[in-house]
Amino acid sequence: VVTTAYPLASAKHIDLGFDTPDAPVFVQGHADLLRELVSNLVDNAIRYSSANGHITVRVLDQDAPALQVEDDGVGIPVAERELVFERFYRVIGGNEAGSGIGLAIVREIAVRHGATVTVTTPSGGAGTLFTVTFARARANDMPDLAL
């Protein structure tokens, strides 16, 4: 997904990075749906980041594996952070084209995979940090996808 999104990020002079642990992190799931989840998050980050911005997609290997998409864009006001997951909701003042269903799709895919999605402000104080936290694939499970 990051490789596919790189030309769009590059056209806006956005530094798009990918940070992963040394070994693959496995979660149980449907590869196409998970790809759609990641694609929507990365596309939104590119859309709402200013030229010369920074986006980092990272995979965290922890008790509950996680995927994060962090940008240094305009951010989402605290009062609207849950609303952005509703179908057709658009943050007030946003100038980007779109239907407002991308994050609703993200949440639905996450729920179908037993995952949660949160939105916060990154530790640097600006932008948006989406975190999708998954259940770890059990040893007896056959992993479908490495993040």
Side-chain angles (χ1 to χ4, degrees), residues 25-86:
V25 177
F26 292 97
V27 297
Q28 189 72 22
H30 189 281
D32 290 334
L33 290 176
L34 292 172
R35 190 174 299 108
E36 181 71 20
L37 178 148
V38 177
S39 181
N40 279 332
L41 290 174
V42 171
D43 182 66
N44 273 1
I46 293 170
R47 235 180 242 271
Y48 293 100
S49 289
S50 301
N52 301 311
H54 301 278
I55 298 169
T56 302
V57 179
R58 85 179 48 85
V59 175
L60 303 174
D61 186 10
Q62 50 195 25
D63 289 339
L67 167 78
Q68 292 184 324
V69 178
E70 178 178 346
D71 67 60
D72 61 357
V74 296
I76 299 172
V78 173
E80 297 185 60
R81 289 185 181 165
E82 279 303 310
L83 296 173
V84 297
F85 293 107
E86 293 180 12

Side-chain angles (χ1 to χ4, degrees), residues 75-143:
I76 299 172
V78 173
E80 297 185 60
R81 289 185 181 165
E82 279 303 310
L83 296 173
V84 297
F85 293 107
E86 293 180 12
R87 292 180 191 201
F88 310 114
Y89 185 82
R90 308 257 325 196
V91 173
I92 296 171
N95 296 327
E96 291 297 321
S99 62
I101 63 168
L103 292 176
I105 291 169
V106 165
R107 175 151 293 161
E108 179 62 28
I109 293 170
V111 167
R112 287 183 182 208
H113 286 82
T116 60
V117 183
T118 59
V119 57
T120 58
T121 300
S123 60
T128 306
L129 173 62
F130 282 92
T131 302
V132 183
T133 305
F134 296 89
R136 180 167 295 283
R138 296 181 311 248
N140 294 339
D141 291 340
M142 177 63 84

